[in-house]
Amino acid sequence: MGAAYDQRPTAQNGADVADPRPDHILARDLAVDAGKVLLGIRADFPADGDPKALKDAGDQGSHDFLMAALATARPDDAVLSEEGADNPIRLRSDRVWIVDPLDGTREFSERPRDDWAVHVALWERGELVAGAVALPARDQVFSTDAPPVIPPATEGPIRLAVSRSRPPAWLPALVEALHAELVPMGSAGVKAVSVLDGATDAYVHAGGQYEWDSAAPVAVAAASGLHTSRVDGGALLYNQPNVLLPDLVVCRPELAEQILAAVGRLGLS
């Protein structure tokens, strides 16, 4: 992705915005505050309550908070949310917030699991320019406001972040090709930022995702200097008419060539 991580607190028409916080700060604060909403919903939910009802309450509560907050802070910007109707006006907008109010609903509903996230990203004129991934149950946030430093490389096999509940059928072949080891975890956002917190070296996904699943993690990863791409090495494009963005690679930059070559040999691209 591009490196234009702009701090300007201006709307697409050049006018002053209602909220003077720069986009990086706003993305971070909204992700953190939505996380607090989710923690409150989780804490207040009955211990013997229906997990699906908890998932629904989390999805809707965080979505409602983010939509109201963005309408106040950036009234001229469009929004694409997993939980909202897709308004085609975003395709004519210069600035679009791409949000996943609750990434990892299953993990959110399985108390006390902490591997779920909130994603807030800003797309502007073809590029992701700001983003934040909050891990509320861990009291962590990764953002383009202060991009994390890539951890030092470790000895031993490549560590791959993988879904704990739905590992893809092609995964054993990739593990064999890379002589890798697997690190199971929850949401897509948690997997992506696991490369930044040193838990893994790479996250490879080729099983179907949408723009809101990866926009914020990719914005933060790219700002930190990680490699981000499609599994064929092509660019990850956002604010497209079709919001399906089925695959991605997020990895340490020195591993990109090796991982993309292995993925190519397996025909995942």
Side-chain angles (χ1 to χ4, degrees):
M1 303 304 297
Y5 295 96
D6 193 348
Q7 290 280 353
R8 294 172 301 165
T10 56
Q12 65 188 51
N13 61 6
D16 290 339
V17 294
D19 188 317
R21 284 175 290 179
D23 294 324
H24 294 284
I25 304 294
L26 181 62
R28 182 199 66 196
D29 290 353
L30 291 182
V32 169
D33 290 345
K36 293 176 182 176
V37 170
L38 286 164
L39 289 173
I41 291 170
R42 206 186 200 201
D44 293 341
F45 200 78
D48 59 351
D50 177 11
K52 184 180 186 306
L54 178 54
K55 293 177 185 178
D56 292 344
D59 281 335
Q60 196 62 52
S62 183
H63 169 77
D64 289 346
F65 167 79
L66 288 170
M67 294 299 288
L70 285 168
T72 299
R74 299 291 190 269
D76 294 323
D77 293 352
V79 182
L80 172 64
S81 170
E82 179 179 12
E83 303 305 324
D86 186 4
N87 189 335
I89 195 172
R90 68 180 175 81
L91 299 174
R92 304 189 298 273
S93 300
D94 289 335
R95 289 166 50 95
V96 180
W97 293 87
I98 303 175
V99 302
D100 190 342
L102 174 53
D103 181 54
T105 53
R106 174 182 295 205
E107 289 73 25
F108 174 76
S109 71
E110 295 177 0
R111 295 174 285 186
R113 292 197 68 95
D114 62 7
D115 48 346
W116 49 276
V118 178
H119 298 178
V120 178
L122 174 62
W123 173 97
E124 183 172 9
R125 299 183 181 93
E127 299 285 349
L128 295 175
V129 297
V133 178
L135 279 54
R138 299 181 186 177
D139 194 24
Q140 290 181 302
V141 61
F142 299 80
S143 82
T144 56
D145 169 47
V149 176
I150 300 174
T154 59
E155 296 183 358
I158 295 172
R159 299 163 300 164
L160 294 177
V162 61
S163 171
R164 69 180 185 93
S165 58
R166 296 182 297 275
W170 49 261
L171 189 61
L174 183 62
V175 169
E176 182 177 358
L178 294 172
H179 306 289
E181 65 179 23
L182 299 178
V183 184
M185 60 188 73
S187 80
V190 170
K191 294 186 192 77
V193 299
S194 71
V195 186
L196 291 172
D197 69 16
T200 69
D201 302 303
Y203 172 39
V204 180
H205 183 86
Q209 286 185 342
Y210 295 88
E211 291 189 12
W212 47 75
D213 291 311
S214 65
V218 164
V220 177
S224 299
L226 294 180
H227 170 86
T228 63
S229 74
R230 300 287 301 270
V231 293
D232 63 359
L236 291 155
L237 302 178
Y238 293 89
N239 197 35
Q240 301 298 297
N242 183 352
V243 297
L244 181 67
L245 188 54
D247 56 74
L248 85 163
V249 175
V250 175
C251 68
R252 299 181 61 88
E254 70 271 19
L255 298 177
E257 184 176 353
Q258 180 183 359
I259 289 173
L260 290 172
V263 168
R265 288 193 298 270
L266 294 175
L268 299 184
S269 57

